Amino acid sequence: METNKKVTVKATIKASIEKVWEFWTEPEHIKKWNSPSDDWHTPTAENDLRVGGEFCSRMEAKDGSFGFDFGGTYDEVKKYEVIAYTLGDGRKVNITFSGKENETEVIETFDPETANPVEFQQQGWQAILDNFKKYAEQTNR
């Protein structure tokens, strides 16, 4: 398996960049969209959105069969533009936000881990991003 290849997922959300940024970064929103499917959820989320700040969310299967913490430290934060961070295992993630009128494109690029096939990881991250898109488009502030 090629481990130095970055993986990219993206979505265009029919919402303003201000709303997308708020929903992406605020813990009360993160808990509502951060899952790949309806049988998963995020019961806790913390976010200190600043360079050097840390974040952590707990993702669990709703039946209690499996769960894990997802966290890291912010390397770059430019409001409405970029969020970059390093995960606890050293992998890097870069997220760009590009707004135009009432649409916002979100592009996530990440270093894959070595335990699962890259395609599986891409599908999982894309499913979470698609869930974010659905939440942001259907939820009023």
Side-chain angles (χ1 to χ4, degrees):
M1 180 187 332
E2 191 178 345
T3 56
N4 61 353
K5 182 181 179 230
K6 297 206 176 275
V7 180
T8 299
V9 296
K10 58 182 156 181
T12 300
I13 296 100
K14 289 179 177 63
S16 70
I17 196 158
E18 294 84 4
K19 180 180 179 182
V20 168
W21 185 268
E22 176 187 335
F23 280 24
W24 189 272
T25 60
E26 294 295 326
E28 66 268 18
H29 292 295
I30 294 168
K31 291 189 280 187
K32 294 176 182 164
W33 62 260
N34 189 37
S35 62
S37 61
D38 289 340
D39 53 345
W40 283 81
H41 68 142
T42 297
T44 61
E46 297 175 11
N47 195 19
D48 182 8
L49 186 64
R50 61 181 175 81
V51 173
E54 296 184 354
F55 67 93
C56 184
S57 57
R58 175 80 183 164
M59 193 180 293
E60 295 179 351
K62 287 183 179 176
D63 67 5
S65 63
F66 188 74
F68 60 92
D69 292 324
F70 184 84
T73 304
Y74 290 110
D75 301 316
E76 181 180 11
V77 176
K78 288 184 184 170
K79 192 171 186 178
Y80 306 138
E81 293 180 34
V82 176
I83 296 174
Y85 56 85
T86 302
L87 293 169
D89 63 7
R91 293 182 297 131
K92 301 281 189 181
V93 179
N94 189 73
I95 307 155
T96 59
F97 301 82
S98 178
K100 187 174 160 186
E101 296 175 10
N102 202 37
E103 281 191 350
T104 303
E105 184 177 49
V106 178
I107 301 173
E108 286 186 275
T109 304
F110 64 94
D111 295 329
E113 41 94 354
T114 56
N116 294 292
V118 170
E119 297 77 20
F120 179 77
Q121 296 173 65
Q122 185 169 22
Q123 289 168 1
W125 284 57
Q126 185 68 55
I128 294 168
L129 184 54
D130 291 345
N131 204 37
F132 172 79
K133 172 181 168 68
K134 179 181 169 186
Y135 175 75
E137 290 180 350
Q138 294 179 354
T139 304
N140 293 321
R141 281 199 219 171

